[in-house]
Amino acid sequence: MSRMNRESMLVVDNVTKRFGGLRALNKVNVEVKRGEILGLIGPNGSGKTTLFNVIMGFYHPEEGRVLLQGEDITDLKPHQIARRGVGRTFQIVRPFGDMTVLENILVSGLFSVPRGGEHRKIEDRCHEILKITNLTERINDPADELSIAEKRRLEIARALALDPQLLLLDETMAGLTHAEVDQALQMISGIRKEFGLTMIVVEHVMRAIMSISDRIVVLSEGRKIAEGTPKEVSENEQVLTAYLGHRKGS
Ligand SMILES: Nc1ncnc2c1ncn2[C@@H]1O[C@H](COP(=O)(O)OP(=O)(O)OP(=O)(O)O)[C@@H](O)[C@H]1O
Ligand SMILES: [Mg+2]
């Protein structure tokens, strides 16, 4: 167990989250290795965002635990988990519309606490973040004036400003054009390389998730139904059935 944890950034151990009679997550086990990009897929309502909310401490699971680098964070509050280096984007983008791009990122960065004696200036980091999210030219524009693709990049920029080591991306490519998806994929690879981040990526754009993920976990109706390389998962019959909605029983 301790050996596994040393290599793990995150372990979701047998987590169940209920909403009334609904099991949004049903005994889910997920491990994310340091430096890995884990794809998390599944049909609508399968529990992907709920899993993010459990990891971030927004929801407390009825069963199971969440370990961050071997430390049990299940009972911590969202701000404590954020401070330990877990960042996320929201499925519905919500920047401060009348603030500029730079202000949005700075405000987010204000809440970050330098970790491990690393006291990089917020402004320096801001500059790096603007560059990697390709928002440098938009630095002084109000967030309201950004395109959808730019707003999604700003959402990622704000998450990066908190200096996370684990980043949870929730459908940051929804509504993007083919070319914009390609740019987003490049950006995510760049973020992993430059910042050495571990990521869990939720995405409905299959082409994107298949090309960016080292490994993929598939949820369906709150259960993990498959796990493996993009190739393995795309050839998995249970996965195909879940997506086509012909699942027999449960
Ligand atoms: N706060 C809540 N209260 C009650 N039910 C909820 C709540 N949040 C989520 N659910 C339910 O839990 C299930 C899982 O929802 P979740 O948002 O995690 O799915 P998802 O996989 O993110 O779906 P999508 O792909 O549509 O974003 C759904 O049936 C949803 O209606
Ligand atoms: Mg969701």
Side-chain angles (χ1 to χ4, degrees), residues 142-179:
D144 269 345
E145 290 176 12
L146 301 182
S147 70
I148 291 175
E150 287 168 335
K151 277 185 181 145
R152 296 217 176 261
R153 296 210 298 273
L154 178 57
E155 191 74 2
I156 292 171
R158 290 173 68 206
L160 287 174
L162 285 159
D163 201 7
Q165 45 184 336
L166 172 65
L167 184 58
L168 315 179
L169 301 179
D170 200 350
E171 297 201 41
T172 58
M173 299 182 203
L176 302 192
T177 66
H178 199 280

Side-chain angles (χ1 to χ4, degrees), residues 19-20 22-25 42-51 53 59 91 170-171 202 204 219 222:
F19 295 113
L22 173 82
R23 279 169 204 245
L25 296 172
N44 292 117
S46 55
K48 305 180 297 293
T49 299
T50 302
L51 183 60
N53 283 325
Y59 296 150
Q91 193 165 350
D170 200 350
E171 297 201 41
V202 166
H204 279 296
L219 294 180

Side-chain angles (χ1 to χ4, degrees), residues 4-11 31-34 69-70:
M4 179 179 89
N5 287 346
R6 220 171 297 140
E7 295 165 5
S8 299
M9 178 57 79
L10 185 83
V11 174
E31 186 187 355
V32 192
K33 299 238 159 57
R34 182 181 291 279
Q69 299 187 94

Side-chain angles (χ1 to χ4, degrees), residues 44-224:
N44 292 117
S46 55
K48 305 180 297 293
T49 299
T50 302
L51 183 60
F52 277 8
N53 283 325
V54 167
I55 293 169
M56 290 303 305
F58 287 109
Y59 296 150
H60 196 269
E62 280 77 29
E63 191 184 358
R65 318 176 293 163
V66 180
L67 306 178
L68 181 69
Q69 299 187 94
E71 187 195 358
D72 193 331
I73 59 166
T74 321
D75 295 327
L76 297 187
K77 302 235 152 47
H79 72 273
Q80 296 173 309
I81 293 170
R83 215 175 278 166
R84 277 169 174 71
V86 187
R88 62 102 52 103
T89 64
F90 290 88
Q91 193 165 350
I92 296 157
V93 292
R94 44 185 193 190
F96 300 109
D98 50 359
M99 283 173 24
T100 67
V101 164
L102 180 63
E103 287 165 345
N104 263 284
I105 298 171
L106 281 175
V107 161
S108 195
L110 285 180
F111 296 106
S112 79
V113 177
R115 284 191 318 272
E118 180 192 343
H119 286 271
R120 233 183 318 170
K121 270 198 178 152
I122 291 173
E123 293 95 298
D124 288 353
R125 188 168 168 82
C126 223
H127 181 74
E128 279 177 59
I129 290 169
L130 283 163
K131 210 169 111 193
I132 207 149
T133 54
N134 196 18
L135 286 169
T136 306
E137 282 174 21
R138 297 296 241 156
I139 185 165
N140 292 317
D141 293 334
D144 269 345
E145 290 176 12
L146 301 182
S147 70
I148 291 175
E150 287 168 335
K151 277 185 181 145
R152 296 217 176 261
R153 296 210 298 273
L154 178 57
E155 191 74 2
I156 292 171
R158 290 173 68 206
L160 287 174
L162 285 159
D163 201 7
Q165 45 184 336
L166 172 65
L167 184 58
L168 315 179
L169 301 179
D170 200 350
E171 297 201 41
T172 58
M173 299 182 203
L176 302 192
T177 66
H178 199 280
E180 287 167 346
V181 166
D182 285 342
Q183 287 163 7
L185 290 172
Q186 267 186 21
M187 175 185 64
I188 290 171
S189 305
I191 288 169
R192 161 154 68 177
K193 224 164 85 191
E194 297 270 321
F195 297 119
L197 287 189
T198 306
M199 287 184 250
I200 308 180
V201 179
V202 166
E203 205 54 68
H204 279 296
V205 182
M206 278 308 139
R207 172 175 78 86
I209 205 83
M210 290 294 161
S211 77
I212 200 80
S213 307
D214 299 312
R215 246 169 5 103
I216 294 178
V217 161
V218 189
L219 294 180
S220 177
E221 298 173 359
R223 287 177 187 274
K224 183 171 81 175

